[in-house]
Amino acid sequence: GQNIDQPTEMTATEGAIVQINCTYQTSGFNGLFWYQQHAGEAPTFLSYNVLDGLEEKGRFSSFLSRSKGYSYLLLKELQMKDSASYLCAVRDRNAGNMLTFGGGTRLMVKP
Amino acid sequence: EAGVAQSPRYKIIEKRQSVAFWCNPISGHATLYWYQQILGQGPKLLIQFQNNGVVDDSQLPKDRFSAERLKGVDSTLKIQPAKLEDSAVYLCASSRWTGAGHTDTQYFGPGTRLTVL
């Protein structure tokens, strides 16, 4: 099976930088996804990492270390609209390439 | 490009009643997923279709849940009879099939919020 851990809640200030960590254990790692989910809405795709390193997309970056089973999502220049849950999901080739989601990290951005 | 469509958006039923949800995936997406998301948790996969065939339904409670995708496009998920613990958001997602056992990024619909009283 898979085990995906991420903090339950985080709080940060508008304009600041926040890093949301995700650790995972899986037998057939085949990619890690980050999704953003605003309350009452569907998850929306943010980023995808399959090789080690940093992927940058505007204010959002995602990092992966396969040897450590670790990823983080970095949000820069935080805006109030970034208040949402951030879901880490891992794809496992030994489980039919299905996605398993972590419980999500609820981020609150304060003025 | 139109996104994943789901209906209804909200449903309230009493326990032991039946309910059905509908999903229309993004055009051209061969793979369709149904997830259950309980409040405060991440989505949990219930069933995955590749065209009209089931790829995985290992986490689907088959005594009460059923799903079909008869023509390889739209899908329905049914619960009969519903229990209190079925209260959740039911999310449909779709992705392209890229071959060799790989699927592309999953895109989610708005979900159906089910309340069982």
Side-chain angles (χ1 to χ4, degrees):
Chain A
Q2 297 185 59
N3 196 21
I4 301 172
D5 288 314
Q6 47 182 136
T8 306
E9 285 187 358
M10 297 183 72
T11 302
T13 305
E14 192 176 16
I17 299 173
V18 71
Q19 177 175 313
I20 302 174
N21 296 324
C22 172
T23 58
Y24 64 88
Q25 293 174 318
T26 185
S27 58
F29 177 82
N30 193 23
L32 186 144
F33 295 78
W34 284 95
Y35 282 83
Q36 180 192 58
Q37 187 175 29
H38 284 100
E41 297 182 14
T44 54
F45 169 73
L46 286 178
S47 69
Y48 169 67
N49 296 71
V50 67
L51 299 176
D52 291 350
L54 190 69
E55 293 282 341
E56 297 189 77
K57 255 192 202 181
R59 294 189 299 114
F60 292 11
S61 304
S62 57
F63 171 83
L64 175 68
S65 169
R66 289 172 295 170
S67 62
K68 295 181 180 177
Y70 168 69
S71 173
Y72 67 72
L73 180 70
L74 194 71
L75 291 75
K76 302 176 188 173
E77 301 169 16
L78 278 173
Q79 301 175 10
M80 298 299 290
K81 67 177 182 180
D82 297 329
S83 293
S85 285
Y86 292 85
L87 300 164
C88 173
V90 173
R91 185 161 62 190
D92 186 346
R93 67 169 60 87
N94 292 338
N97 275 314
M98 287 187 301
L99 277 189
T100 299
F101 283 82
T105 299
R106 191 179 313 148
L107 174 66
M108 264 191 303
V109 180
K110 295 187 173 178
Chain B
E1 179 183 78
V4 177
Q6 290 188 247
S7 68
R9 292 295 311 277
Y10 304 91
K11 190 74 178 177
I12 301 173
I13 61 173
E14 296 189 349
K15 60 183 179 183
R16 291 188 288 274
Q17 285 187 321
S18 302
V19 66
F21 313 127
W22 173 82
C23 173
N24 179 246
I26 293 172
S27 177
H29 280 196
T31 310
L32 184 148
Y33 314 79
W34 283 103
Y35 288 88
Q36 180 192 61
Q37 187 175 25
I38 292 171
L39 188 65
Q41 300 181 18
K44 183 184 88 171
L45 181 70
L46 293 175
I47 188 167
Q48 177 183 344
F49 291 95
Q50 173 67 21
N51 295 311
N52 61 349
V54 175
V55 174
D56 189 280
D57 62 357
S58 57
Q59 299 191 94
L60 188 74
K62 297 181 188 62
D63 58 334
R64 298 183 302 106
F65 286 62
S66 64
E68 59 184 14
R69 194 184 183 201
L70 292 176
K71 296 183 180 178
V73 180
D74 293 4
S75 177
T76 56
L77 175 71
K78 296 179 182 176
I79 308 175
Q80 179 180 10
K83 292 186 175 181
L84 295 176
E85 60 260 35
D86 298 332
S87 294
V89 176
Y90 291 85
L91 295 164
C92 179
S94 70
S95 66
R96 293 184 307 147
W97 174 256
T98 57
H102 287 274
T103 56
D104 207 346
T105 299
Q106 294 184 28
Y107 295 92
F108 285 82
T112 298
R113 183 177 298 275
L114 174 68
T115 302
V116 182
L117 302 176

